[in-house]
Amino acid sequence: MKNTHPQGSAQTLAGRITEWLTFDNMHHQWLLLAACFWVIFMFMVASKFITLTFKDPDAYSAKQEFLLLTAVPDVGKLPGEKHFPEELKPTGKVLSDSRLVQPLVYMERLELIRNVCRDEALKNLSHTAVSKFVLDRIFVCDKHKILFCQTPKVGNTQWKKVLIVLNGAFPSIEEIPENVVHDHEKNGLPRLSSFSDAEIQKRLKTYFKFFIVRDPFERLISAFKDKFVHNPRFEPWYRHEIAPGIIRKYRRNRTETRGIQFEDFVRYLGDPNHRWLDLQFGDHIIHWVTYVELCAPCEIKYSVIGHHETLEDDAPYILKEAGIDHLVSYPTIPPGITVYNRTKVERYFLGISKRDIRRLYARFEGDFKLFGYQKPDFLLN
């Protein structure tokens, strides 16, 4: 019997083909979607695995290690001791397989220091002996294997509070009385100088080491204001003993009866023969001597150098690198307080002779170059 509905059969066949194509297309879409989810899942697993392989299994937290791209020779040693090893070991723990590369900015800071330290033309401005004066500036946290070199007028009070808490003297930063922070008989912060030569050597070689810097001239302004103008901690010896000594030696206008001026301070600091007054002033000079004199960055291989101008980023990074970011936080930084203020610098140096400013720069040139601060040509020329 002949098919009397050829058109209907064709329509039915076309409909089935369309349904099959639609189903096949949806099937491929579902397969593609499933494949995408599988790739994302495997990427997450792989990322987690890579992160875990970089962690130090012997540490209670992930202390990152600095990857040396080139061998770095030692440039100094403690009296009577051997040179430190060429490799840098910030945390004292060596990873067998791989090390994390620090963010570029921190690597560049350390590389800059190494390059300046090798510059023979700057040797007198970049090198110093690791003397008791330097070791007195370095505070020790044995519990977490940290050394912190104090550089006054660069937010050091807050870092000392961090270490006081880590050493267990107080349970939190908020509970530390202000009069205890700088009282080294009560704050529980031992100085590196209090250890034997062998113990000093061991700590310098294996502990995490850091300090903070800021623009050298802005730091001097801060020191002058804090010690000779405002003197918030009531330290009368700065005004009644140190200031008169500077005025007697460096004031040009002998009829001037005002207290110490910033111009007097600049002349004192820029004098190549300033050391005879330094000896009279004792350790009070820590507030204005160079970073080189305080921390010996060419002799001691520091793990991280923080900058006051970028402290919002540097403080968390230092805590993380030291492996203590889960134990303590750096105190809140007021907005704008760490920003370099060129207007303030210009105002303080206004009226001071170019000769005196150039002599001041000549003394602090090592600090400017070691830590990448721009030469203040707007003051010198």
Side-chain angles (χ1 to χ4, degrees):
M1 186 176 180
K2 291 184 178 181
N3 186 354
T4 58
H5 304 287
Q7 186 176 0
S9 298
Q11 290 176 346
T12 300
L13 180 59
R16 288 178 178 176
I17 291 173
T18 300
E19 289 177 0
W20 180 83
L21 289 174
T22 301
F23 173 80
D24 186 68
N25 186 41
M26 291 179 64
H27 179 69
H28 278 82
Q29 288 178 346
W30 279 108
L31 285 176
L32 181 61
L33 186 61
C36 289
F37 276 114
W38 177 253
V39 170
I40 293 172
F41 174 76
M42 291 303 294
F43 178 78
M44 292 173 63
V45 172
S47 299
K48 186 67 175 177
F49 174 77
I50 292 171
T51 300
L52 290 174
T53 59
F54 281 127
K55 292 189 176 182
D56 183 347
D58 298 323
Y60 64 88
S61 63
K63 286 188 177 180
Q64 297 180 350
E65 299 286 344
F66 175 55
L67 177 63
L68 285 180
L69 302 180
T70 57
V72 182
D74 266 327
V75 292
K77 61 179 179 179
L78 288 174
E81 297 288 350
K82 295 181 180 179
H83 282 250
F84 301 151
E86 288 188 352
E87 68 271 17
L88 183 63
K89 302 173 185 176
T91 63
K93 296 183 180 296
V94 182
L95 297 180
S96 57
D97 296 321
S98 59
R99 295 179 176 184
L100 274 180
V101 177
Q102 291 179 344
L104 184 59
V105 65
Y106 303 103
M107 292 180 63
E108 288 176 341
R109 290 175 185 174
L110 296 176
E111 182 65 21
L112 176 61
I113 290 174
R114 288 193 288 270
N115 290 336
V116 175
C117 289
R118 295 188 189 109
D119 189 340
E120 287 294 325
L122 293 171
K123 189 172 183 179
N124 291 336
L125 295 171
S126 60
H127 289 262
T128 191
V130 184
S131 62
K132 184 178 183 300
F133 181 82
V134 172
L135 298 175
D136 277 344
R137 310 281 77 77
I138 300 177
F139 296 103
V140 181
C141 176
D142 276 330
K143 185 176 181 180
H144 301 285
K145 297 187 175 182
I146 297 171
L147 299 180
F148 166 62
C149 185
Q150 178 187 22
T151 50
K153 314 323 305 168
V154 192
N156 282 255
T157 297
Q158 306 305 327
W159 284 110
K160 289 170 79 171
K161 289 180 180 179
V162 168
L163 293 183
I164 288 170
V165 171
L166 290 174
N167 277 351
F170 289 87
S172 69
I173 288 175
E174 293 73 23
E175 296 178 56
I176 304 173
E178 287 298 321
N179 65 326
V180 169
V181 178
H182 301 290
D183 187 336
H184 300 296
E185 294 183 359
K186 298 179 181 178
N187 63 18
L189 290 180
R191 299 173 189 261
L192 191 55
S193 59
S194 65
F195 296 88
S196 69
D197 287 347
E199 289 297 314
I200 290 171
Q201 184 85 327
K202 182 181 75 172
R203 286 166 174 78
L204 284 174
K205 187 168 61 175
T206 61
Y207 280 21
F208 178 88
K209 302 172 288 293
F210 77 100
F211 66 94
I212 314 296
V213 297
R214 72 188 294 187
D215 177 86
F217 279 7
E218 195 171 38
R219 172 175 170 254
L220 294 180
I221 292 171
S222 178
F224 179 79
K225 289 170 56 181
D226 186 62
K227 299 307 176 187
F228 299 110
V229 180
H230 302 307
N231 202 245
R233 296 194 182 93
F234 188 66
E235 299 163 311
W237 48 88
Y238 287 100
R239 287 181 180 173
H240 301 315
E241 297 176 22
I242 295 177
I246 294 174
I247 291 172
R248 281 193 300 270
K249 173 72 174 174
Y250 296 102
R251 177 155 294 178
R252 287 177 178 163
N253 184 0
R254 297 297 179 179
T255 63
E256 174 64 68
T257 58
R258 290 183 300 171
I260 187 170
Q261 302 298 299
F262 189 63
E263 183 178 11
D264 306 320
F265 190 55
V266 167
R267 286 200 197 97
Y268 153 57
L269 295 178
D271 183 0
N273 300 312
H274 63 84
R275 295 193 184 280
W276 75 273
L277 264 188
D278 289 351
L279 292 173
Q280 297 180 42
F281 298 157
D283 279 0
H284 299 308
I285 65 173
I286 66 172
H287 298 281
W288 50 76
V289 297
T290 66
Y291 300 128
V292 171
E293 295 169 279
L294 290 169
C295 298
C298 286
E299 284 65 41
I300 298 173
K301 291 192 175 85
Y302 287 91
S303 313
V304 178
I305 305 297
H307 280 224
H308 186 258
E309 294 81 2
T310 54
L311 196 57
E312 292 87 346
D313 296 324
D314 293 1
Y317 178 79
I318 290 169
L319 295 177
K320 183 179 179 182
E321 284 293 287
I324 55 174
D325 54 320
H326 65 295
L327 298 174
V328 66
S329 297
Y330 189 82
T332 302
I333 302 171
I337 197 172
T338 63
V339 176
Y340 173 71
N341 189 337
R342 172 170 167 164
T343 302
K344 178 179 68 176
V345 173
E346 290 177 324
R347 186 173 72 250
Y348 267 84
F349 281 91
L350 183 66
I352 300 178
S353 73
K354 298 297 182 184
R355 172 183 175 272
D356 289 336
I357 300 175
R358 288 174 188 140
R359 289 176 67 167
L360 181 69
Y361 177 76
R363 178 179 176 186
F364 286 85
E365 183 181 5
D367 282 359
F368 275 93
K369 293 196 172 180
L370 278 165
F371 305 108
Y373 287 103
Q374 187 173 0
K375 183 179 180 180
D377 287 323
F378 64 94
L379 297 175
L380 301 170
N381 300 325

